[in-house]
Amino acid sequence: MRSPWLNKLSVILGPRPPVSWLFLCVVSLLALITVFGSSSSSSFDSVTSTWVPESYKNYRRLKEQAAVDYFELRTLSSGASRQRELGFCGKEIENYVPCYNVTANLLSGFKDGEEFDRHCEVVGQGKWCLIRPPKDYKTPLQWPAGRDVIWSGNVKITKDQFLSSGSMTKRMMLLEENQIAFQSDAGLTFDGVKDYSRQIAEMMGLGSDSEFLQAGVRTVLDIGCGFGSFGAHLVSIKLMALCIAGYEATGSQVQLALERGLPAMIGNFITRQLPYPSFSFDMVHCAQCGIPWDKKEGMLLIEVDRLLKPGGYFVLTSPKSKPHGSATGTKIRNMLTPLEQFPEKICWSLIAQQDETFIWQKTVDAQCYSSRKQNDVPLCKGHDASYYQALSPCIIGPSSKRWIPIQNRSSSSELSSAELALHGVSPEDFFEDLQGWKLALKNYWSLLTPLIFSDHPKRPGAEDPLPPFNMVRNVMDMNAHYGGLNAAFLEEKKSVWVMNVVPVTSRNMLPLILDRGFPGVLHDWCEPFPTYPRTYDMLHANGLLSHLSSERCSLMDLFVEMDRILRPEGWVVLYDKLGAIELARAHATQIRWGARVIDLQNGSDQRLLICQKPFLTK
């Protein structure tokens, strides 16, 4: 039997109070708590645009939780039921890379090498599910130790594949129980990677590879990078080496390089231009990379020319010293013959040849292009399109405003006023962007550090981890702008590298980012990113969600893709408008991320969402 006061209340409100009334009551109560709480601590909890990391205390966490509860109540009051968590994908696709399906490409009519290319248009709308890590997956070792030792269960190559591989692979890698150790002093066809790097430097007229920077070489595109040994050495001498290799069903070069904490992405050198603008790299390197340079009427070399900056180098190492009767030796000789003739048609000169290594240099003399023969490769006309366009039969000449020899470029990431002017950026804007990111990074780290470097429960089926239990080796900045976050990491001397992604629908600042010596790529976020699962430790995006809201993209597709490329226990940091952050948090909950919203208390409608992907095995 109900009490008299309940009967009176039911007369006033009816037998069942409306959801909107309950929502109003709860929000009013939260508002009162917030007002009274802020009145007693107003001197501490106001966070201005210049963030003060040490000001975050327990009261801040309470107010963050209040904001989270507020968002959930708004969702309930609108009549929308909470979305269910996504299920798990089957074990057979634990290493799945979308857009690369040779069988489907052949059925769609692609041939002559195009079937190995990236074709996102062939991928149908599949069911949303979360890709689980392999059974023996373990959190990677701390970098730089993890650069030379990885867990064999984290990559696709198996013990049987390793044992059946050639002697060169066995010299480069040692399989020890559940680990793969990479030998820094072995590999390629030389006594060691260090000797090989020194040989290249001496062929260029330098005393040692430590003088690469003085010669203008800061960025290297390593095609078919094997297991990343050459790139690992270049990184150790402060060069940015980006590995690209085609998609492989087993024993992936790109997956191994990324697992070692080295910059890498899937890039097919077959029928399309790579997603980088002209004049992107100081050196392009190919050591037994398997590219048929003598095919397609030289268009693969023309693509290398497009990517090289004036004065840049193309280094080709091919084992031509085979017995004359061998089929391999004949094939190599047939490939190298046109390479001795074609480079002159695109204003390259062979500056050195030693053993199996050839080095060409792209000219810095603009007159070379006007003095060529009439039947040489023509100059391009019009705009340089560089997002998976068809290979071009023409070369980019000196008429481009970015035609600057590598020896004349800035040796640091802080570009000169003249260089910034080429990109349409004012020095004031550039400086303000850098200062803002330095403050933002300090704030991110103040929020993440207690979580990254603190104890956490033992992972299912894993042994007790050694400290630090989590770490960040690489970061993908999904909307990189000027590359300011990358510059802030460098200034703070943090041992991470950043993949700077510039969305194709935004202002193209990728040339500026590459001129700063940072790795970067153009990408359409309505499509999957060309990498293997579990290859990034942190994903960051500033304003990307609002930018994509007007595109054809599905935000849920984006979050499922982010989950695919993020390693277990990896982090996501999103900074955006309140509405976008609300929606993002709902999606984060669906894909089982831990998420919390942070109000910066700076009077704007911007919010910060910090998420962590859990270590889930089933």
Side-chain angles (χ1 to χ4, degrees):
M1 184 174 180
R2 294 195 304 179
S3 62
W5 71 269
L6 279 177
N7 290 327
K8 292 180 181 179
L9 187 63
S10 64
V11 171
I12 299 173
L13 300 177
R16 181 175 297 175
V19 173
S20 59
W21 187 89
L22 292 175
F23 167 70
L24 182 60
C25 290
V26 175
V27 170
S28 301
L29 180 59
L30 288 173
L32 287 173
I33 294 172
T34 302
V35 169
F36 285 115
S38 61
S39 63
S40 61
S41 59
S42 59
S43 61
F44 295 99
D45 61 5
S46 61
V47 181
T48 62
S49 57
T50 55
W51 298 339
V52 183
E54 60 270 18
S55 68
Y56 287 95
K57 301 294 181 183
N58 289 335
Y59 71 88
R60 170 64 65 206
R61 298 183 184 276
L62 291 173
K63 294 183 71 175
E64 290 162 12
Q65 187 59 49
V68 168
D69 295 339
Y70 169 71
F71 294 148
E72 288 186 347
L73 285 168
R74 281 198 58 178
T75 303
L76 290 171
S77 69
S78 63
S81 61
R82 187 173 181 177
Q83 297 289 333
R84 300 179 63 179
E85 292 180 337
L86 298 188
F88 293 103
C89 307
K91 184 179 183 298
E92 67 279 2
I93 64 169
E94 62 187 21
N95 289 298
Y96 173 62
V97 180
C99 303
Y100 292 92
N101 188 323
V102 176
T103 302
N105 292 342
L106 287 170
L107 292 175
S108 299
F110 294 105
K111 56 183 180 179
D112 299 329
E114 284 189 298
E115 66 272 21
F116 298 103
D117 262 331
R118 178 176 183 271
H119 293 287
C120 295
E121 67 276 13
V122 176
V123 180
Q125 180 64 43
K127 181 182 178 182
W128 288 326
C129 61
L130 306 179
I131 295 180
R132 289 177 290 185
K135 178 182 178 182
D136 298 326
Y137 184 87
K138 295 179 181 293
T139 299
L141 300 175
Q142 182 187 12
W143 206 91
R147 181 181 61 195
D148 298 322
V149 180
I150 65 173
W151 302 110
S152 57
N154 289 11
V155 294
K156 298 169 71 174
I157 189 169
T158 64
K159 182 177 181 180
D160 292 338
Q161 290 169 340
F162 175 81
L163 294 175
S164 63
S165 62
S167 59
M168 182 182 302
T169 298
K170 294 174 184 176
R171 288 204 309 272
M172 294 173 66
M173 301 163 58
L174 293 176
L175 190 64
E176 300 175 352
E177 296 183 357
N178 59 352
Q179 292 181 337
I180 299 175
F182 295 86
Q183 302 303 297
S184 59
D185 292 328
L188 298 174
T189 57
F190 301 90
D191 294 335
V193 171
K194 294 179 181 178
D195 290 338
Y196 175 64
S197 180
R198 184 177 64 251
Q199 176 189 348
I200 292 174
E202 291 173 351
M203 292 173 68
M204 293 168 54
L206 306 176
S208 70
D209 55 5
S210 63
E211 298 179 12
F212 275 140
L213 287 169
Q214 299 175 27
V217 177
R218 291 189 300 157
T219 59
V220 179
L221 182 67
D222 192 10
I223 304 173
C225 53
F227 303 125
S229 297
F230 183 56
H233 173 67
L234 294 180
V235 168
S236 71
I237 59 174
K238 310 301 182 185
L239 268 67
M240 189 284 289
L242 175 61
C243 157
I244 64 164
Y247 170 74
E248 299 168 280
T250 58
S252 162
Q253 302 173 63
V254 170
Q255 189 184 40
L256 281 168
L258 284 163
E259 189 65 26
R260 298 180 67 181
L262 302 170
M265 61 177 286
I266 299 173
N268 282 18
F269 221 92
I270 302 177
T271 62
R272 300 184 185 183
Q273 293 180 346
L274 294 171
Y276 318 113
S278 298
F279 314 132
S280 291
F281 299 96
D282 305 318
M283 178 185 288
V284 175
H285 173 261
C286 162
Q288 305 178 36
C289 62
I291 304 297
W293 300 109
D294 58 323
K295 304 298 183 183
K296 296 183 180 291
E297 300 180 342
M299 284 206 293
L300 298 176
L301 287 173
I302 292 175
E303 173 65 359
V304 173
D305 180 82
R306 186 184 73 84
L307 297 172
L308 276 178
K309 295 175 181 177
Y313 301 90
F314 176 51
V315 180
L316 173 64
T317 297
S318 251
K320 67 182 182 68
S321 54
K322 300 287 182 181
H324 291 293
S326 71
T328 303
T330 302
K331 182 179 179 181
I332 295 297
R333 286 195 303 277
N334 291 339
M335 184 190 77
L336 291 175
T337 299
L339 287 180
E340 296 172 358
Q341 304 168 356
F342 189 82
E344 294 183 2
K345 299 181 179 181
I346 55 177
C347 288
W348 289 6
S349 58
L350 180 64
I351 63 171
Q353 176 185 350
Q354 183 177 333
D355 299 327
E356 303 166 344
T357 300
F358 299 76
I359 301 180
W360 287 270
Q361 185 174 23
K362 182 175 179 175
T363 187
V364 296
D365 182 8
Q367 293 183 353
C368 175
Y369 294 91
S370 59
S371 62
R372 293 177 310 133
K373 298 177 181 179
Q374 188 174 4
N375 61 346
D376 286 343
V377 180
L379 297 179
C380 295
K381 298 179 181 179
H383 178 66
D384 169 35
S386 55
Y387 185 69
Y388 296 113
Q389 300 296 314
L391 289 174
S392 173
C394 62
I395 55 177
I396 308 294
S399 60
S400 171
K401 62 181 181 179
R402 294 184 60 234
W403 180 272
I404 303 175
I406 61 174
Q407 296 81 2
N408 298 345
R409 292 180 177 271
S410 297
S411 59
S412 71
S413 61
E414 304 309 312
L415 304 182
S416 66
S417 299
E419 289 173 315
L420 290 173
L422 291 177
H423 301 286
V425 176
S426 69
E428 294 78 16
D429 189 18
F430 187 76
F431 178 78
E432 182 180 351
D433 180 77
L434 176 60
Q435 297 306 309
W437 281 114
K438 287 165 62 177
L439 291 172
L441 181 61
K442 289 180 180 179
N443 187 70
Y444 293 164
W445 234 244
S446 71
L447 291 166
L448 290 172
T449 297
L451 303 172
I452 291 178
F453 299 107
S454 62
D455 292 325
H456 61 77
K458 187 175 74 169
R459 295 181 297 278
E463 298 177 356
D464 290 327
L466 298 174
F469 308 108
N470 290 287
M471 77 294 183
V472 176
R473 303 161 303 166
N474 59 12
V475 177
M476 176 184 283
D477 193 353
M478 301 170 67
N479 190 19
H481 196 45
Y482 297 157
L485 180 62
N486 196 152
F489 272 113
L490 287 177
E491 189 154 323
E492 289 293 317
K493 294 182 171 55
K494 297 191 181 298
S495 298
V496 301
W497 63 269
V498 180
M499 176 62 79
N500 296 278
V501 182
V502 176
V504 293
T505 53
S506 65
R507 184 186 178 191
N508 187 5
M509 287 288 104
L510 185 56
L512 182 149
I513 290 171
L514 293 167
D515 284 353
R516 299 182 76 176
F518 302 157
V521 64
L522 287 171
H523 183 63
D524 183 351
W525 279 117
C526 296
E527 300 173 349
F529 190 82
T531 192
Y532 291 85
R534 303 172 297 278
T535 48
Y536 282 90
D537 301 327
M538 179 182 288
L539 305 178
H540 173 268
N542 177 18
L544 179 66
L545 305 181
S546 296
H547 176 73
L548 294 180
S549 63
S550 60
E551 301 295 326
R552 66 185 188 281
C553 308
S554 160
L555 202 57
M556 194 62 204
D557 283 341
L558 176 66
F559 272 75
V560 171
E561 171 64 5
M562 291 166 66
D563 184 81
R564 184 184 73 86
I565 66 179
L566 187 67
R567 73 166 177 85
E569 299 179 334
W571 297 89
V572 178
V573 178
L574 302 175
Y575 183 67
D576 219 304
K577 295 179 180 178
L578 175 60
I581 291 296
E582 286 187 47
L583 187 57
R585 184 184 174 277
H587 288 325
T589 301
Q590 278 187 265
I591 58 177
R592 304 169 185 253
W593 292 352
R596 61 191 181 112
V597 177
I598 297 173
D599 183 355
L600 303 178
Q601 298 289 304
N602 58 2
S604 73
D605 65 343
Q606 303 288 312
R607 297 292 186 273
L608 195 65
L609 179 67
I610 295 183
C611 310
Q612 186 180 29
K613 176 180 176 178
F615 196 110
L616 298 173
T617 57
K618 62 180 181 177

